[in-house]
Amino acid sequence: MIERLLIANRGEIAVRIARTAKRLGIETVGVFSDSDRDAVHVGAVDLAVSLPGTSPSDTYLRSDLVLRAALDHECDAVHPGYGFLAENAEFARSVIEAGLIWVGPTPEQIELLGDKLAAKRAALEAGVPTTPVVELSGLAGGEVPDGVTFPALVKAAAGGGGRGMRVVRRPEEFADAVRSATREAAAAFGDGTVFVEPYLEAGRHVEVQIFGDAHGAVVHLGERDCSIQRRNQKIVEESPAPNLSDGVRSALHDGAVALARHVGYQNAGTVEFLVGADDTITFLEVNTRLQVEHPVTEAVTGFDLVEWQLAVADGQPLPVTQDQIEVGGHAIEVRLVAEDPGSGWLPAVGTLERFSVGDGVRVDSGVRSGSVVSSDYDSLLAKIVAHGRSRDEARRRLRVALQRSVAAGVTTNLSTLVRLLAHPEFVGGQATTAFLGTHHDDLSGPGADPEDVTASVVAAALHSAIAHRRADRHWGFAPTGWRNLRTRGERSAWRVGDRTIELEERWIDDEFVTVLVGEWPRPTADGSLAPDERAIHEVRHAHDSSGELAIEIDGVRRAFRIEQLGSGDVLVSGSNGSTVWSPVPRFVDHDAAETGGGPVCPLPGTVIAVAVDAGQTVVEGELLMVVEAMKMEHKIVAGGPGVVGEVRYSVGDRVDAGDLLVTIVASAAGGE
């Protein structure tokens, strides 16, 4: 029997595994890096062992250090969670050879199915429907191998999580995509092998949860729809998959079980498929581990999958047979991620000043208020799951919980998730893998509805103005403020992302104000003011107390939760999610200008490739540098034609957000 378990992971999955282990009376041992010393998962275990260092390669990916921690502290078993060492067959083998229990599939199964090419061959042998692939043994030049059709998907043979994947739509992009995918796969998984398969632009990503034991039993626990993705990574998952025909659903279940039986699969795994609009089924891969989205399966089946994992690893048979597994109701999970949807889903870093999630949902999280979100690890903050008797009940329950959630101090996708759950295409269960790309403008930024945006920014401005008035009770305004109540109002400008909104508030009394929204009139060439084209709104300050603000705009009343952040920003949360508005200072101290302009780094990371030299002529869109952050590659390209003045960083250098990477001297002759 397992008495003491080492959890070889961090974040929310380490917390989640510890929760089940403690319920079963199993002692838990965790590991942590220097930067995770005060992380939530460290306090969730009975004992935590330091892995000196900060980067994953120095800590959580050091299989020797992790195994030594297990042995030194007399653990019986090791649970790898997902990511890091979870699908590392050599680590699994070393755990077993050390006399410990490995909580996962056998090393042989990890090797076979962890290699997506080998998994494709096994699927064909088991009769699972799939599409042909083109294997790449090397790419000498820019040639496209026979059998490749476009659009194509270049895909890493090892690993998962969307890393080492590139969609290629034109032959001239193929060679660069292969090199980039190979480089990313080698960095993430230690194996740069890639292959090519047809890319389905608007398919549905559906996966089947399988479980096997050492006694030959195999079951499935239904399917999950994971179609809503960005960067080939999922952000919404649900079970059961909506709008699947009975025939397709059965074919998915049968195919997954057939493959599991064919390889004698043990423990938890996921068989992933693409389903086309014509119900064509294509096998993708097998994830030989617990999935990030396993909570939705737990919600609809009532089983604890980590408990199953521990039991199977301990040699016990599966607790139920296939005919004893029933799916009840519907569950939806969203991933709350530190990223900026309005800037191409770039990961974000910073300190979570406030973090809380609304009631009535399950929350798996490895962060709390005050947690530091760094570029060293995955940007996932929390998984939020709602279960209901119907899909619509689960969707509405989840949306309300998100509306009442706060993630302040770091840019997140919270508002995008709120809007997504109300989008007609999602409500109808019709979303495909193309959903986020098709509806990006509707879902990202401060809001798709101009009235909602106006109400949100006015709430931020009024909150700030009221706070200033209360701060100076004698004069009615702060010493640094200025206003003429009836003619020249209090001006302010507010920014979210790359968007700035200018306001002027003309107060009539303490409860009524006219707000002008839009660009302030500025002098024209002849010195006169341009016409005032700002929108005018009548606003009543209805009520505010304890962070609640109710305002009436043009006869429509809205309620908001307002929070002043330490940075000076104002967090405004309403029915369409949360927005952090940053006040634009009226006076800015400018640093000395650079001798040459150029692109700046969008986020902290490490330079992994430099594509240009000083003196080189470049054109708009030409690749300059590649920066890796949060396990993803980010291409830095020229914003226009010019000549490279200085390449300021080399491969291996650490860079921060805002660092000038390459100076470009603009060319009046268009770069010639």
Side-chain angles (χ1 to χ4, degrees):
M1 298 291 293
I2 297 174
E3 297 285 344
R4 178 174 284 192
L5 175 71
L6 181 112
I7 303 171
N9 219 294
R10 67 180 297 278
E12 53 84 20
I13 187 56
V15 176
R16 186 264 170 278
I17 294 168
R19 184 169 63 241
T20 289
K22 288 187 175 184
R23 180 174 60 79
L24 298 174
I26 298 173
E27 288 185 278
T28 54
V29 176
V31 291
F32 63 93
S33 66
D34 288 344
S35 56
D36 273 343
R37 193 169 300 276
D38 297 319
V40 173
H41 79 272
V42 177
V45 294
D46 297 305
L47 181 152
V49 181
S50 171
L51 302 176
T54 56
S55 71
S57 60
D58 294 335
T59 54
Y60 300 105
L61 285 170
R62 283 285 301 274
S63 58
D64 56 334
L65 297 182
V66 174
L67 181 56
R68 175 49 52 195
L71 294 173
D72 286 349
H73 296 281
E74 300 180 340
C75 294
D76 307 300
V78 174
H79 194 310
Y82 49 71
F84 295 135
L85 298 170
E87 294 177 286
N88 187 312
E90 286 305 311
F91 178 60
R93 192 171 283 114
S94 67
V95 169
I96 295 169
E97 290 174 352
L100 306 182
I101 295 172
W102 169 254
V103 184
T106 67
E108 295 74 23
Q109 291 162 354
I110 294 174
E111 283 178 330
L112 173 65
L113 298 175
D115 183 328
K116 295 180 179 65
L117 281 171
K120 286 271 191 180
R121 300 185 193 108
L124 288 169
E125 293 169 1
V128 180
T130 187
T131 53
V133 301
V134 176
E135 301 184 25
L136 300 176
S137 57
L139 189 68
E143 73 277 4
V144 177
D146 293 338
V148 174
T149 58
F150 295 93
L153 181 66
V154 178
K155 193 172 185 179
R163 299 180 184 93
M165 294 176 64
R166 298 292 185 274
V167 177
V168 188
R169 291 185 168 81
R170 294 187 295 273
E172 58 268 26
E173 300 172 349
F174 184 77
D176 182 61
V178 171
R179 283 190 288 267
S180 178
T182 299
R183 184 171 57 236
E184 187 172 89
F189 316 121
D191 183 350
T193 305
V194 297
F195 63 93
V196 187
E197 64 184 5
Y199 178 68
L200 190 60
E201 291 278 7
R204 295 180 61 188
H205 190 137
V206 184
E207 61 189 27
V208 179
Q209 176 72 62
I210 56 170
F211 238 103
D213 63 25
H215 308 281
V218 175
V219 298
H220 72 80
L221 291 95
E223 79 289 340
R224 300 182 288 253
D225 189 310
C226 308
S227 299
I228 298 181
Q229 307 173 4
R230 83 282 182 265
R231 294 179 176 267
N232 298 308
Q233 293 181 318
K234 308 158 188 173
I235 60 169
V236 180
E237 301 100 353
E238 59 182 307
S239 183
N243 297 324
L244 276 187
S245 68
D246 291 340
V248 169
R249 202 181 306 272
S250 295
L252 295 174
H253 296 168
D254 294 345
V257 170
L259 178 56
R261 286 190 174 132
H262 178 69
V263 300
Y265 195 82
Q266 297 179 31
N267 219 278
T270 305
V271 184
E272 306 202 5
F273 300 90
L274 272 182
V275 179
D278 58 355
D279 285 348
T280 299
I281 299 173
T282 300
F283 166 78
L284 291 177
E285 63 189 35
V286 179
N287 285 303
T288 54
R289 53 174 166 79
L290 194 68
Q291 286 282 88
V292 177
E293 56 271 22
H294 75 274
V296 294
T297 296
E298 293 183 325
V300 296
T301 63
F303 298 120
D304 184 327
L305 298 192
V306 173
E307 181 178 355
W308 280 32
Q309 283 192 292
L310 295 171
V312 168
D314 214 20
Q316 301 175 35
L318 290 173
V320 297
T321 59
Q322 187 68 65
D323 58 4
Q324 293 175 307
I325 298 173
E326 296 182 357
V327 172
H330 199 98
I332 306 175
E333 171 184 293
V334 295
R335 302 190 193 186
L336 180 63
V337 180
E339 64 185 13
D340 185 357
S343 298
W345 311 97
L346 280 177
V349 296
T351 300
L352 276 171
E353 294 189 31
R354 280 290 307 277
F355 177 72
S356 64
V357 178
D359 296 332
V361 291
R362 169 176 169 174
V363 181
D364 284 14
S365 178
V367 299
R368 61 187 166 216
S369 297
S371 290
V372 175
V373 181
S374 77
S375 61
D376 291 322
Y377 305 113
D378 191 89
S379 54
L380 176 65
L381 301 179
K383 302 180 307 191
I384 305 170
V385 188
H387 180 248
R389 291 166 295 183
S390 66
R391 181 176 186 268
D392 199 53
E393 180 180 313
R395 180 190 64 81
R396 287 185 280 108
R397 184 173 292 169
L398 181 57
R399 188 166 190 265
V400 169
L402 293 178
Q403 289 171 338
R404 297 173 179 171
S405 300
V406 174
V410 177
T411 302
T412 73
N413 64 340
L414 179 57
S415 292
T416 293
L417 295 173
V418 172
R419 296 174 196 133
L420 186 157
L421 291 171
H423 194 282
E425 195 168 309
F426 180 80
V427 173
Q430 303 297 327
T432 70
T433 53
F435 178 82
L436 286 182
T438 302
H439 302 293
H440 179 268
D441 292 343
D442 297 338
L443 301 172
S444 64
D449 187 336
E451 292 185 3
D452 290 335
V453 177
T454 297
S456 178
V457 70
V458 167
L462 288 190
H463 167 79
S464 180
I466 292 166
H468 285 170
R469 281 169 161 253
R470 289 173 177 165
D472 192 329
R473 297 185 180 278
H474 180 69
W475 294 106
F477 57 89
T480 56
W482 56 275
R483 68 167 62 84
N484 181 306
L485 293 181
R486 294 186 179 277
T487 59
R488 194 178 185 192
E490 181 176 5
R491 291 184 173 185
S492 62
W494 299 83
R495 180 183 297 120
V496 59
D498 59 359
R499 182 175 183 181
T500 299
I501 296 179
E502 297 175 347
L503 306 176
E504 183 174 323
E505 306 142 32
R506 296 180 178 174
W507 290 78
I508 306 303
D509 53 40
D510 285 340
E511 292 190 356
F512 179 74
V513 61
T514 299
V515 178
L516 291 79
V517 180
E519 186 175 329
W520 297 326
R522 287 167 169 80
T524 61
D526 62 5
S528 62
L529 284 179
D532 191 343
E533 298 178 347
R534 293 175 292 176
I536 301 175
H537 301 279
E538 292 186 353
V539 179
R540 286 190 179 276
H541 166 219
H543 170 72
D544 74 283
S545 64
S546 303
E548 299 286 337
L549 175 67
I551 56 176
E552 181 183 310
I553 302 180
D554 299 331
V556 178
R557 179 167 170 154
R558 290 175 168 85
F560 297 96
R561 294 188 312 282
I562 308 289
E563 184 161 359
Q564 187 77 43
L565 304 180
S567 59
D569 296 346
V570 177
L571 173 69
V572 180
S573 302
S575 61
N576 283 294
S578 300
T579 303
V580 176
W581 292 98
S582 302
V584 179
R586 292 178 55 214
F587 303 102
V588 180
D589 293 329
H590 294 281
D591 294 331
E594 295 284 348
T595 55
V600 298
C601 190
L603 73 173
T606 303
V607 176
I608 62 171
V610 177
V612 294
D613 297 311
Q616 180 176 334
T617 298
V618 295
V619 298
E620 182 178 354
E622 185 168 346
L623 178 67
L624 305 175
M625 191 175 287
V626 181
V627 175
E628 182 183 51
M630 290 185 172
K631 305 181 183 178
M632 302 296 292
E633 290 189 3
H634 306 277
K635 292 183 178 181
I636 310 300
V637 300
V643 177
V644 176
E646 178 187 5
V647 179
R648 305 185 67 181
Y649 296 93
S650 302
V651 173
D653 288 347
R654 292 283 295 179
V655 290
D656 290 324
D659 283 348
L660 181 63
L661 301 176
V662 179
T663 62
I664 303 290
V665 180
S667 172
E672 298 182 355

